Amino acid sequence: NVVTASGLDDDEAAVEASDDETVTLTDVPSSISVIKTPSVDEIAEPGGTVTFTVVVENTSETDMLIVASLIDDIYGDLDGQGDCVLPQKLAVGETYTCSFDGEVVGNAGDTHINVVTVTAEDDDGDFIEDDDDAEVLVTDVASGISVTKTADQSAVQEPGGPVAFTVVVTNDSAVDTVTVTSLVDDVFGNLDGQGDCAVPQALAPGGSYSCIFDGDVVGEAGSEDDPHVNTVTVTGTDDDGNEVTDSDDETVDITEKPTGTIGDFLWNDTDEDGIQD
């Protein structure tokens, strides 16, 4: 801007002078912020759907902003995902909020981290950006295993004899694979290699493994050996390294051997002469 001074000297002559001054308008940097939050901080393995909310704010002092992009490092361009729509025009102090769903998967102890980056253009044509991350912890779901033991007969006649025992192991876990590492019977010992029993065995969730082995049940009716009870214990580890175990027993009675006089017996065999034995 220019100022001009005009006047007359004492001889009535006109005099004039002028001068200018320049003031430059400097830019005030624009700024933007983004905050990303998950709907849950934790999710049980193996994971599932989480809703993420993104809040963008124009934190500039003077400039209007046009939000040009929202990019997630895992879920990609958010434009069109959920209710996120771009571009968005934001006045100073104004915010824009949108949400979208993303799958969070992992094993127990994993931390899912995803980062969103916002880019905007101010009314001076400068581009600015900001980013923020969200974390979701994948928590453990307890594993379980069960074993059932059955005998092919409920009783044996003294002095006893072989009984076939069936062992069924089931992975009761909802998500974890369980590896059976041992099958031990308190009477017949380590069952690995007995009958068709063999360990280790990897069982998917809900899966089962069965095997059969023979064991001698001996004793006298009414003695301390009657009834015969033996217990099998199964031990395994899940895919998080946690140990699981269970046990089950089976009972086999020992009954007396029948006795009586010769008249108590019924003979059906005859010898070669046709005479009844």
Side-chain angles (χ1 to χ4, degrees), residues 106-124:
N107 209 350
D110 291 345
T111 299
H112 169 97
I113 300 175
N114 61 87
V115 180
V116 66
T117 300
V118 59
T119 302
E121 182 181 6
D122 66 17
D123 50 16
D124 299 316

Side-chain angles (χ1 to χ4, degrees), residues 121-145:
E121 182 181 6
D122 66 17
D123 50 16
D124 299 316
D126 297 323
F127 284 90
I128 54 175
E129 67 177 33
D130 189 35
D131 61 64
D132 191 38
D133 61 55
E135 296 186 6
V136 179
L137 176 66
V138 181
T139 59
D140 188 30
V141 174
S143 301
I145 197 171

Side-chain angles (χ1 to χ4, degrees), residues 64-227:
M64 181 270 295
L65 298 178
I66 296 178
V67 179
S69 71
L70 278 171
I71 304 296
D72 191 281
D73 66 340
I74 291 180
Y75 304 112
D77 188 352
L78 299 184
D79 184 21
Q81 296 195 47
D83 60 358
C84 297
V85 178
L86 297 175
Q88 292 288 333
K89 183 181 291 187
L90 299 181
V92 174
E94 190 176 5
T95 61
Y96 169 69
T97 302
C98 70
S99 299
F100 69 97
D101 292 337
E103 292 297 313
V104 174
V105 295
N107 209 350
D110 291 345
T111 299
H112 169 97
I113 300 175
N114 61 87
V115 180
V116 66
T117 300
V118 59
T119 302
E121 182 181 6
D122 66 17
D123 50 16
D124 299 316
D126 297 323
F127 284 90
I128 54 175
E129 67 177 33
D130 189 35
D131 61 64
D132 191 38
D133 61 55
E135 296 186 6
V136 179
L137 176 66
V138 181
T139 59
D140 188 30
V141 174
S143 301
I145 197 171
S146 61
V147 61
T148 302
K149 183 178 186 181
T150 56
D152 68 341
Q153 51 191 309
S154 60
V156 294
Q157 191 178 100
E158 61 182 355
V163 174
F165 294 94
T166 299
V167 177
V168 179
V169 181
T170 302
N171 179 3
D172 299 324
S173 307
V175 295
D176 285 342
T177 295
V178 170
T179 300
V180 177
T181 54
S182 75
L183 277 173
V184 177
D185 190 282
D186 64 343
V187 173
F188 302 112
N190 186 359
L191 299 183
D192 183 23
Q194 295 195 49
D196 59 357
C197 297
V199 293
Q201 294 286 337
L203 303 181
S208 62
Y209 167 72
S210 63
C211 67
I212 300 174
F213 71 95
D214 291 334
D216 286 326
V217 175
V218 295
E220 295 182 3
S223 71
E224 63 180 9
D225 298 325
D226 179 29

